[in-house]
Amino acid sequence: MKTILIIEDDISILRGLKDNLEYEEYNVLTELDGNKGLALAQEKQIDLILLDIMLPGMNGYEICRRLKKEKPEIPIIMITARGSEMDKVSGLDIGADDYVTKPFSIPELLARIRAVFRRIDSVNTDNETYSFGNVTIDFKKFLAFKNNKEIKLTSKEFAIMEYFIHHEGEAVHRHDLLHEVWGFDAMPTTRTVDNFILDLRKKLETNPSQPKHIISIRGVGYRFISSE
């Protein structure tokens, strides 16, 4: 049974989400306060987090930012009353996996949760282990190593690399990544893709300023090459 943590300060929304998720046979943990929610996420084994932005104690952006450094494998869906594209991009840029704006329908949210789990399961099963250069990625265990030292990749970064590996040597358009990794409904921009690629290069390339594996194609996107 998968465990979902809800960090939301609106008690009526919190109770409604908890009841519906438990009906779908998820194990549900809840917290009203940002600081306590972060602590709970750090202490427990969590499979997904539903995270409000405007919280007492610590806002959702900061919680997301910290968790993506400490436990990057946990997918996060942001839930907020804010609806502007800039708010959505801000959340996605710091590593959120999806974004839902209040008011939302429960069937829509459940569909997004299932979609996130499907993407993760796809990463886990399609390519269990893959090596290139001095990097090894274990998709089944959500582990990555560079020069035999563990490096932290977010769930989204694992998904990007899985897509690159499936399309090794091909020109991958930014919009292909938006569609396959984020999904159209997530509404990130191509800038979001570029920011993720910059972070991946810093983690995986020997010289990020002169990448040998994740190559830019001007006006198009990127090409992944396993051999230097």
Side-chain angles (χ1 to χ4, degrees):
M1 181 182 292
K2 293 186 182 297
T3 298
I4 296 177
L5 169 62
I6 308 169
I7 309 176
E8 165 65 66
D9 66 336
D10 187 317
I11 190 66
S12 61
I13 292 176
L14 187 68
R15 287 173 177 169
L17 288 173
K18 185 175 187 294
D19 289 345
N20 279 278
L21 290 171
E22 288 180 339
Y23 182 80
E24 295 292 324
E25 299 187 343
Y26 292 109
N27 180 43
V28 182
L29 303 176
T30 63
E31 185 51 66
L32 296 164
D33 177 83
N35 286 316
K36 293 179 180 178
L38 174 62
L40 194 59
Q42 292 168 328
E43 294 168 5
K44 301 292 185 179
Q45 185 67 37
I46 306 296
D47 295 297
L48 183 141
I49 298 174
L50 300 178
L51 178 62
D52 191 19
I53 289 181
M54 302 303 292
L55 293 164
M58 181 183 298
N59 67 56
Y61 289 136
E62 183 60 25
I63 293 172
C64 182
R65 189 177 292 109
R66 293 194 186 190
L67 285 176
K68 286 303 178 179
K69 290 181 179 179
E70 299 172 20
K71 303 180 80 171
E73 71 280 2
I74 302 177
I76 296 174
I77 297 178
M78 307 292 280
I79 300 178
T80 181
R82 295 182 174 183
S84 76
E85 184 171 335
M86 185 55 66
D87 288 326
K88 295 181 180 182
V89 170
S90 296
L92 294 166
D93 276 348
I94 60 174
D97 293 80
D98 205 346
Y99 199 112
V100 178
T101 303
K102 302 173 187 175
F104 53 85
S105 71
I106 292 298
E108 176 194 3
L109 178 60
L110 292 174
R112 288 176 181 269
I113 290 171
R114 289 192 295 268
V116 169
F117 284 141
R118 279 198 303 271
R119 288 198 294 268
I120 292 173
D121 290 342
S122 173
V123 170
N124 282 342
T125 57
D126 287 353
N127 297 285
E128 290 193 2
T129 303
Y130 189 89
S131 297
F132 60 94
N134 55 3
V135 174
T136 297
I137 301 176
D138 188 328
F139 290 99
K140 188 175 182 63
K141 296 180 180 179
F142 264 87
L143 295 173
F145 300 89
K146 181 179 178 182
N147 294 322
N148 296 318
K149 294 182 179 180
E150 185 176 354
I151 53 177
K152 297 291 187 181
L153 298 185
T154 68
S155 56
K156 193 69 70 182
E157 288 169 340
F158 275 106
I160 292 171
M161 288 308 303
E162 191 255 358
Y163 188 79
F164 275 147
I165 290 165
H166 270 283
H167 298 274
E168 182 178 354
E170 300 176 14
V172 175
H173 290 250
R174 290 177 176 85
H175 289 289
D176 292 337
L177 287 170
L178 287 175
H179 177 70
E180 297 296 335
V181 177
W182 278 267
F184 281 138
D185 289 342
M187 291 181 63
T189 66
T190 53
R191 188 195 74 181
T192 298
V193 174
D194 292 338
N195 287 340
F196 270 83
I197 297 301
L198 285 173
D199 287 341
L200 272 172
R201 283 173 170 165
K202 290 176 183 177
K203 295 176 181 181
L204 303 180
E205 297 279 4
T206 300
N207 184 353
S209 63
Q210 296 181 341
K212 301 295 185 182
H213 300 290
I214 304 175
I215 311 300
S216 294
I217 304 175
R218 187 173 182 179
V220 177
Y222 302 94
R223 177 181 288 112
F224 173 71
I225 302 172
S226 61
S227 59
E228 297 187 13

